[in-house]
Amino acid sequence: MKINENFVLRQIADTWVVLPLGDTTLDFNGMMTLNETGSFLWSILEKGCQQAELVNALLNEYDVTKEQAETDVEEFLNKLRNIDCLEEL
Amino acid sequence: MNNKRLTSIDEMIPLIEERIKNGGSVSFTPMGISMYPMLRHGIDNVVLSPAPEKLKKYDIPFYRRKNGRYVLHRVVKVTESYTCIGDNEYRYEQGIEHSQVIAVVTSFTRKGKEYSTENLGYKIYCRVWHYSRFPRRVLRAVKRVLRNIIKGKQK
């Protein structure tokens, strides 16, 4: 899976914002923001990867249990799918 | 993975300016009561688009004051510069240069319904609300005086 090319991540102060490219109206109400962990996963997904790689990356980088990492990754991917931000390869 | 909203205008400004400069539009919920009753604080939504070369009377520009504050108020007089005022205000702000204007409201959503600024009902509202400003102000002053008299008698 991979981040759809029509989206970019931009850092505004201490928040990362998922921005749709193109000429659609930029809606601040529905804007998705990410924290540091989210932006970390995003950077991996930009290059394209498998779900298990994301879980491993979280385990290597943060002090979390495997179950917690799996739940977090699942939740994160679902949020991206909800805004059509993810391409399943 | 949080869903913190960008609410501070300073955080939003770079994104708004960039999108408008590229000819796109942005949508957000303005804060403040100065455009009441058209826009309710934190509830109603506006769409901002690139401003034309010259604004017209009743347009609602999003502009930057010389003190750095960002405002969304209505144009009520066009000369070489603009005079603006919020629908819920009584004090005119004169001398707003076109270069201070970032974008202009082209539509808004109120109670779940989207209205274009070309909507006839909206155009009537702008005019009625603007021309009733003086009587509204008088009425407000009279109410205040009466309230004070009543309070005074009660003491």
Side-chain angles (χ1 to χ4, degrees):
Chain A
M1 55 186 77
K2 200 177 177 206
I3 297 291
N4 183 321
E5 281 175 0
N6 294 320
F7 290 87
V8 287
L9 191 65
R10 281 270 295 275
Q11 189 177 6
I12 311 280
D14 58 352
T15 309
W16 282 266
V17 190
V18 177
L19 289 180
L21 294 173
D23 51 11
T24 51
T25 300
L26 185 61
D27 184 0
F28 282 90
N29 298 319
M31 195 169 274
M32 186 175 172
T33 59
L34 303 180
N35 59 14
E36 207 187 311
T37 322
S39 69
F40 170 68
L41 292 178
W42 180 283
S43 64
I44 302 167
L45 270 168
E46 260 179 339
K47 295 168 206 142
C49 64
Q50 297 299 317
Q51 189 159 341
E53 291 173 54
L54 291 173
V55 175
N56 285 334
L58 273 192
L59 289 173
N60 289 335
E61 195 76 13
Y62 299 94
D63 186 18
V64 284
T65 62
K66 191 161 187 249
E67 290 71 33
Q68 188 61 51
E70 278 170 350
T71 315
D72 285 355
V73 166
E74 187 64 37
E75 199 183 308
F76 178 67
L77 293 175
N78 282 335
K79 278 186 183 169
L80 294 183
R81 283 188 191 109
N82 281 343
I83 58 167
D84 288 326
C85 189
L86 206 59
E87 276 175 16
E88 317 279 348
L89 297 175
Chain B
M1 287 183 267
N2 55 342
N3 267 333
K4 181 191 159 220
R5 259 198 193 183
L6 286 185
T7 45
S8 141
I9 200 74
D10 290 321
E11 286 180 328
M12 287 160 56
I13 278 297
L15 299 177
I16 294 178
E17 286 191 326
E18 184 184 299
R19 185 58 62 121
I20 294 290
K21 211 178 279 171
N22 292 332
S25 53
V26 301
S27 153
F28 72 100
T29 303
M31 298 293 164
I33 57 162
S34 68
M35 281 302 283
Y36 185 83
M38 179 188 159
L39 302 172
R40 293 161 302 165
H41 167 78
I43 299 174
D44 300 312
N45 205 52
V46 293
V47 173
L48 299 178
S49 302
E53 268 180 42
K54 187 88 179 166
L55 296 179
K56 301 187 303 291
K57 190 175 176 181
Y58 304 120
D59 279 348
I60 307 174
F62 177 65
Y63 61 96
R64 187 176 190 269
R65 281 191 181 142
K66 286 173 182 160
N67 66 9
R69 273 200 67 184
Y70 293 92
V71 209
L72 196 65
H73 282 169
R74 189 183 301 282
V75 173
V76 288
K77 194 176 174 190
V78 179
T79 52
E80 280 181 7
S81 62
Y82 306 119
T83 299
C84 291
I85 189 168
D87 283 1
N88 195 25
E89 292 185 323
Y90 298 100
R91 203 156 147 195
Y92 295 95
E93 185 184 353
Q94 294 174 324
I96 296 150
E97 312 279 342
H98 191 78
S99 59
Q100 290 173 250
V101 175
I102 296 161
V104 67
V105 172
T106 46
S107 69
F108 60 97
T109 306
R110 209 175 182 286
K111 294 188 178 170
K113 200 178 164 204
E114 190 175 349
Y115 299 90
S116 150
T117 47
E118 294 302 314
N119 177 289
L120 181 65
Y122 167 73
K123 285 183 168 179
I124 294 170
Y125 157 80
C126 298
R127 284 150 181 86
V128 169
W129 201 251
H130 176 54
Y131 286 105
S132 66
R133 183 170 273 113
F134 181 70
R136 277 190 285 122
R137 190 175 190 175
V138 170
L139 193 69
R140 202 176 68 148
V142 169
K143 269 189 194 165
R144 190 178 298 155
V145 169
L146 286 178
R147 206 179 299 136
N148 286 343
I149 292 173
I150 293 166
K151 263 191 203 162
K153 277 188 179 168
Q154 281 173 345
K155 272 181 191 169

